[in-house]
Amino acid sequence: MYFNGYYHLFYQYNPKGAVWGNIVWAHSVSKDLINWKKVEHAIYPSKPFDKYGCWSGSATILPGNKPVILYTGIVDDKQTQVQNYAVPANLSDPYLRVWIKPNNNPLIVADNEVNKTAFRDPTTAWLGKDGQWRTTIGGRSYEKGMSFLYKSKDFMHWTKVKHPLHSTDGTGNWECPDFFPVFVGNDHGLDTSVTGPVSMVKYVFKVSLDVTRYEYYTIGTYDIKTDKYVPDKDMVDGWNGLRLDYGNFYASKSFFDPSKNRRVLWGWANESDTTDNDVKKGWAGIQLIPRTILLDPNGKQLLQWPVDELKTLRGKKVELSNHKLSKGEKVEIKGITAAQADVDVTFSFSSLDKAEPFDPSWDKYDAQKICSQKGSTVKGGLGPFGLLTLASENLEEYTPVFFRVFKAQDKHLVLMCSDASRSTLMNGKSSMKDGKDAYRPSFAGFVNVDLKDKKISLRSLIDNSVVESFGARGKTVITSRVYPSLAIHDKAHLFVFNNGSETVRIESLKAWSMNSAKEMNH
């Protein structure tokens, strides 16, 4: 949340180790979303209503500029879940270091129709025109994913609305729902309580699916009379739907930032290394770079882009323009710190004629499977072309981020991949006993882009064990976690490559060495 000049990040944290458990709400503060200061834990198990854990939730700013946190408390060893609130002890402390959990908790207890062990993660509340607050809480009814809806006049006494805000058959348990308005045809964000005519305001409903470990969203309308969210007709609502990120990204939350009139999305990436290695290094899990989110002008998806403040970490810059890449060629981008870099490249090509046919037997919703068969070294027509990130000098290790264009019956399909399968020699197949729970998928998604100008852009944020990539100015985003053993520090390299028969031109490339964030100054 943003409050009185500071950003506050509250996050699920285990103070006792680099594995899941003993969960508290850790708390860090910042003036710029980049340089942070850790302060005391905001919420930790201490009362009967959260004795067994303080799980996720949200912050809401009440009228009179008063922040309140809603969070899920675990009350017994059966994982019974209730919804609690906490308030700052001292509003004049700029860091809001101490939080109080009043004794009228819990505020919301599941009734007999609700699965009490799948009832968590209350959203930022919104205020209706009728003067009532609403919040929605994730859960399930058997295999139907649900977002339960609750209303309150005073934020203290909540009643369940008979029907959920939204539900979808066959999706399993819903975690970390997020529900917010977006401006149509405008690049400003909206406060969660803003409403307006459909021509000006649409709604986004996002959910983290427990079963698949991805985050899906739809765009639609919110009927304030019936208190129901309805996805637009052409939205796929379920496992084949749009994702915020097609890689390692989960449990995200968005918040409205009134200081910059934007909505900021922040997601978590867990480790995909072995648990043993996590324990050895002493930490696990990161927050990714915060992203601004907007409605795409086409109205059919969101656009995500790293927050502007990230540019303050840019150091040395190199540029390349109008450089041709024939089939099998690669060019090294030298002069920057390739292990910690921000790269923004636009590719162009003179023809779509060489695009490979899209095999009708392929599942158009399973981009990852197609990418695992059509990797960066599999020669193609138009593509594969893109970046080889975190590469060792002789390419024993690399994480390619690339495009491949297919010709379907009536249109072209653009596949974007971020492939971790060759990212490291560590714990390779020769020592599977070590690497049993390491995870190195070829993450992928399709990019809904019009290729009439025969150009496509890619921006990748590279940070040692993270590659966060934005295709076509943020239409498709993929995050990979990788753990090179050779391509580390000054031994990491960055290349641009083309393995398609169609010559590709690097229209423009800008790359920056990225400095490390520092602890926030007072």
Side-chain angles (χ1 to χ4, degrees):
M1 69 172 186
Y2 177 85
F3 182 73
N4 286 359
Y6 286 91
Y7 296 98
H8 295 259
L9 170 68
F10 304 96
Y11 50 102
Q12 301 274 278
Y13 179 66
N14 178 1
K16 295 180 179 171
V19 293
W20 195 89
N22 318 299
I23 294 297
V24 305
W25 276 49
H27 182 194
S28 293
V29 292
S30 173
K31 286 195 92 91
D32 60 7
L33 289 173
I34 301 295
N35 305 289
W36 292 82
K37 179 180 177 62
K38 197 172 186 325
V39 294
E40 295 90 322
H41 299 330
I43 305 173
Y44 43 87
S46 65
K47 300 266 181 98
F49 50 77
D50 65 8
K51 185 178 169 188
Y52 288 81
C54 298
W55 288 11
S56 200
S58 298
T60 303
I61 311 292
L62 297 183
N65 205 24
K66 292 177 180 155
V68 57
I69 282 170
L70 289 175
Y71 73 99
T72 298
I74 312 300
V75 300
D76 57 28
D77 59 7
K78 298 181 188 67
Q79 290 207 349
T80 302
Q81 294 158 25
V82 300
Q83 315 311 321
N84 303 317
Y85 80 109
V87 290
N90 176 11
L91 282 175
S92 62
D93 170 14
Y95 295 170
L96 303 179
R97 275 171 282 220
V98 179
W99 289 73
I100 295 167
K101 301 180 290 191
N103 287 327
N104 61 328
N105 276 307
L107 292 187
I108 301 175
V109 177
D111 63 25
N112 290 331
E113 293 172 3
V114 172
N115 180 335
K116 296 174 177 58
T117 63
F119 181 59
R120 54 183 175 268
D121 312 333
T123 61
T124 296
W126 66 98
L127 187 58
K129 288 215 160 68
D130 59 359
Q132 294 209 58
W133 287 97
R134 289 157 176 80
T135 186
T136 189
I137 298 163
R140 66 184 168 89
S141 172
Y142 302 99
E143 291 314 304
K144 176 185 266 200
M146 308 277 273
S147 191
F148 301 105
L149 184 63
Y150 286 79
K151 280 161 75 159
S152 173
K153 290 193 171 92
D154 59 4
F155 220 88
M156 292 295 118
H157 304 88
W158 294 83
T159 52
K160 182 167 158 246
V161 177
K162 283 196 175 70
H163 61 79
L165 176 69
H166 189 46
S167 64
T168 310
D169 288 332
T171 51
N173 191 41
W174 285 4
E175 296 189 303
C176 303
D178 201 4
F179 181 60
F180 55 88
V182 282
F183 242 139
V184 176
N186 189 310
D187 60 4
H188 286 160
L190 292 172
D191 178 81
T192 311
S193 296
V194 167
T195 57
V198 177
S199 61
M200 290 179 67
V201 177
K202 302 282 289 201
Y203 280 81
V204 176
F205 183 84
K206 183 280 298 186
V207 70
S208 306
L209 285 191
D210 214 354
V211 184
T212 66
R213 306 306 286 179
Y214 291 114
E215 298 212 293
Y216 302 81
Y217 73 91
T218 53
I219 292 161
T221 50
Y222 171 45
D223 186 329
I224 52 177
K225 289 195 183 70
T226 60
D227 257 332
K228 278 196 163 175
Y229 167 76
V230 182
D232 286 349
K233 290 262 188 299
D234 53 355
M235 286 287 143
V236 177
D237 190 8
W239 291 13
N240 289 334
L242 293 168
R243 297 187 207 165
L244 286 177
D245 190 301
Y246 289 81
N248 189 332
F249 183 95
Y250 199 73
S252 72
K253 293 300 294 187
S254 72
F255 69 97
F256 177 64
D257 174 6
S259 73
K260 297 269 177 84
N261 218 356
R262 62 185 172 179
R263 182 161 286 272
V264 176
L265 171 76
W266 217 354
W268 161 69
N270 65 358
E271 303 305 306
S272 51
D273 202 358
T274 67
T275 306
D276 289 350
N277 282 344
D278 296 347
V279 171
K280 268 182 215 148
K281 77 172 184 260
W283 60 272
I286 54 167
Q287 291 297 122
L288 293 164
I289 300 299
R291 305 170 183 175
T292 52
I293 40 176
L294 302 169
L295 184 64
D296 188 309
N298 70 18
K300 295 184 187 310
Q301 66 165 95
L302 295 173
L303 297 176
Q304 303 169 65
W305 199 245
V307 292
D308 259 4
E309 288 90 333
L310 185 66
K311 292 174 182 167
T312 61
L313 294 180
R314 284 174 172 173
K316 189 177 175 197
K317 177 184 182 184
V318 297
E319 292 188 74
L320 182 65
S321 60
N322 205 11
H323 185 98
K324 272 188 186 171
L325 284 177
S326 303
K327 182 179 181 179
E329 281 192 343
K330 68 179 191 295
V331 58
E332 183 169 4
I333 305 305
K334 293 182 172 173
I336 56 159
T337 53
Q340 220 168 277
D342 180 353
V343 194
D344 198 346
V345 55
T346 300
F347 296 99
S348 64
F349 35 88
S350 54
S351 167
L352 291 162
D353 293 347
K354 290 184 183 168
E356 301 159 72
F358 188 80
D359 186 329
S361 70
W362 291 343
D363 179 352
K364 68 177 183 193
Y365 293 114
D366 195 350
Q368 193 166 318
K369 186 175 182 188
I370 300 169
C371 190
S372 68
Q373 294 164 358
K374 294 260 183 189
S376 62
T377 58
V378 178
K379 304 273 191 283
L382 182 46
F385 58 84
L387 300 171
L388 303 178
T389 72
L390 296 171
S392 58
E393 190 173 7
N394 300 313
L395 297 189
E396 300 93 342
E397 298 178 335
Y398 59 96
T399 300
V401 185
F402 59 95
F403 300 112
R404 187 186 284 265
V405 182
F406 294 98
K407 176 86 176 92
Q409 281 166 326
D410 53 346
K411 60 175 182 179
H412 287 90
L413 294 174
V414 180
L415 179 70
M416 175 175 161
C417 303
S418 181
D419 183 2
S421 62
R422 298 169 191 238
S423 58
T424 183
L425 298 176
M426 181 177 62
N427 297 334
K429 290 193 169 57
S430 59
S431 60
M432 278 311 278
K433 68 181 194 318
D434 245 343
K436 60 184 179 299
D437 60 349
Y439 180 51
R440 299 188 199 119
S442 47
F443 287 131
F446 286 101
V447 191
N448 182 10
V449 64
D450 183 349
L451 294 175
K452 67 176 183 295
D453 63 354
K454 302 188 185 65
K455 287 181 188 179
I456 191 164
S457 68
L458 175 65
R459 182 176 178 192
S460 286
L461 307 176
I462 303 159
D463 189 9
N464 299 285
S465 72
V466 199
V467 183
E468 208 174 340
S469 301
F470 299 77
R473 312 317 286 169
K475 280 177 177 276
T476 299
V477 190
I478 311 180
T479 299
S480 290
R481 296 296 311 277
V482 293
Y483 309 89
S485 58
L486 302 174
I488 57 175
H489 310 310
D490 58 356
K491 300 284 190 296
H493 298 259
L494 173 67
F495 300 92
V496 193
F497 80 97
N498 173 29
N499 276 330
S501 54
E502 174 70 40
T503 296
V504 172
R505 189 183 294 276
I506 300 169
E507 187 117 325
S508 71
L509 178 145
K510 294 177 177 137
W512 292 265
S513 292
M514 294 299 275
N515 297 311
S516 295
K518 296 183 168 59
E519 188 177 30
M520 180 186 76
N521 293 321
H522 297 281

